[in-house]
Amino acid sequence: MSTYPTISRRPSEGRAISEFFSLHGLPPDSVDTLTEVSRLRRRPRGRPLVLPVAKSAFFLVDGRVSELVQPGKVRLWRELMLFESVSSTALLPGTYSEERANPNPKNLTSGSTLSRCVFVEVPNTKLNSLVMTDPAIALMLARMAAKRHLLTERMYTASRATPAARVAAVLNYLAEPTRRNAIKPREDGVMVMTTTEELVASGPSQADLADALCLGRATVEKAIAELRQVKALRSFGPGERANRCYPIEDRDLLRQIAVGG
């Protein structure tokens, strides 16, 4: 039986937290123990984001965020990334302190929400204790930290790749399935409204992409135009939302461009 107090919340929130941790291969006992000490936090789109990582770990379950890692340098993240401060444990390296040249003395992670966001929050004292006693949880955190490091190396470090390749890599990472309404003809020629599913990278503006990749805004705009010209990104139709939205037309091609093909 768990020795940690259960946090009061709605049953639906408990189920959502359990489903999130289950996706990472934790055994049921580990999921239950971690869920008992976690809670959901929601943030609306377009708001400043300040996370007190000295007190709690934050897992981005859904949404897109821009994280300020240094003055003038940001990182764009999507769901399943880990926001935490467990560098005091012997099992995990600090995933923030290694990346930050000028750590925030108040131990706050700052940035902004690029979409509606949902986080799972776990108090660091409880998470650190679980890391020391449950190897499955320690392994999950290590894998998340490794994934963050790998994505940082692939997308946000100095690179000789072309601007189009770098933009393609970030948009491919941010893309997820979504539904949109479209007017299409039936077999009899009558135009009807239908719902189609496609991949869309949404959330960041072209200025956000430029800041994350340390590129000029005109360079990012040109790279996106190139990706649309070769049909890796879909061009917009009349009346479609175009701001902070990048529909993927050919993901295989987008990936090929991202790796320099």
Side-chain angles (χ1 to χ4, degrees):
M1 182 178 295
S2 171
T3 59
Y4 302 103
T6 301
I7 293 175
S8 177
R9 57 169 175 262
R10 295 191 297 272
S12 60
E13 292 191 359
R15 287 194 298 272
I17 294 170
S18 296
E19 290 174 0
F20 171 76
F21 287 124
S22 295
L23 289 174
H24 294 277
L26 288 182
D29 288 347
S30 299
V31 171
D32 292 342
T33 302
L34 198 48
T35 299
E36 286 181 359
V37 298
S38 304
R39 68 178 65 195
L40 287 183
R41 298 293 191 187
R42 296 176 175 83
R43 298 290 187 274
R45 181 179 68 84
R47 299 292 181 85
L49 178 67
V50 178
L51 301 177
V53 295
K55 296 181 179 180
S56 297
F58 293 87
F59 302 84
L60 181 60
V61 176
D62 185 38
R64 305 290 183 269
V65 298
S66 172
E67 177 199 11
L68 179 65
V69 294
Q70 293 179 22
K73 182 180 291 187
V74 302
R75 301 283 185 262
L76 306 178
W77 300 117
R78 57 162 290 178
E79 62 189 48
L80 305 184
M81 292 310 302
L82 174 64
F83 290 77
E84 48 77 41
S85 178
V86 292
S87 57
S88 60
T89 72
L91 297 177
L92 293 173
T95 59
Y96 275 101
S97 58
E98 291 176 354
E99 189 176 0
R100 294 172 181 272
N102 298 301
N104 188 322
K106 296 182 180 180
N107 288 319
L108 299 174
T109 290
S110 60
S112 60
T113 56
L114 302 177
S115 66
R116 182 189 64 84
C117 293
V118 180
F119 298 89
V120 171
E121 179 185 358
V122 188
N124 278 336
T125 53
K126 297 173 182 178
L127 182 60
N128 289 341
S129 180
L130 290 174
V131 166
M132 300 300 293
T133 58
D134 191 327
I137 293 176
L139 180 59
M140 179 194 73
L141 295 180
R143 286 173 173 168
M144 286 183 168
K147 180 178 180 181
R148 176 188 172 97
H149 178 73
L150 179 61
L151 287 170
T152 299
E153 288 291 317
R154 285 180 177 176
M155 296 189 298
Y156 300 126
T157 56
S159 172
R160 294 183 179 179
T162 65
R166 299 185 65 196
V167 171
V170 174
L171 295 183
N172 178 61
Y173 163 65
L174 295 176
E176 68 173 353
T178 187
R179 293 181 178 273
R180 70 181 181 93
N181 292 327
I183 299 177
K184 294 185 177 181
R186 295 188 317 203
E187 293 182 357
D188 59 5
V190 176
M191 304 298 289
V192 295
M193 180 72 74
T194 61
T195 300
T196 61
E197 185 173 281
E198 67 177 350
L199 287 170
V200 175
S202 61
S205 65
Q206 292 186 11
D208 294 325
L209 291 168
D211 290 342
L213 297 173
C214 297
L215 297 172
R217 296 186 185 184
T219 301
V220 170
E221 183 178 359
K222 181 180 178 180
I224 291 173
E226 291 177 9
L227 295 173
R228 287 178 178 149
Q229 185 175 13
V230 299
K231 306 299 184 182
L233 297 181
R234 181 176 63 78
S235 298
F236 293 103
E240 283 192 87
R241 172 199 168 192
N243 186 36
R244 298 176 178 267
C245 184
Y246 312 90
I248 312 300
E249 183 164 333
D250 188 335
R251 193 170 200 179
D252 288 339
L253 177 57
L254 189 69
R255 287 169 172 164
Q256 184 179 352
I257 294 172
V259 298

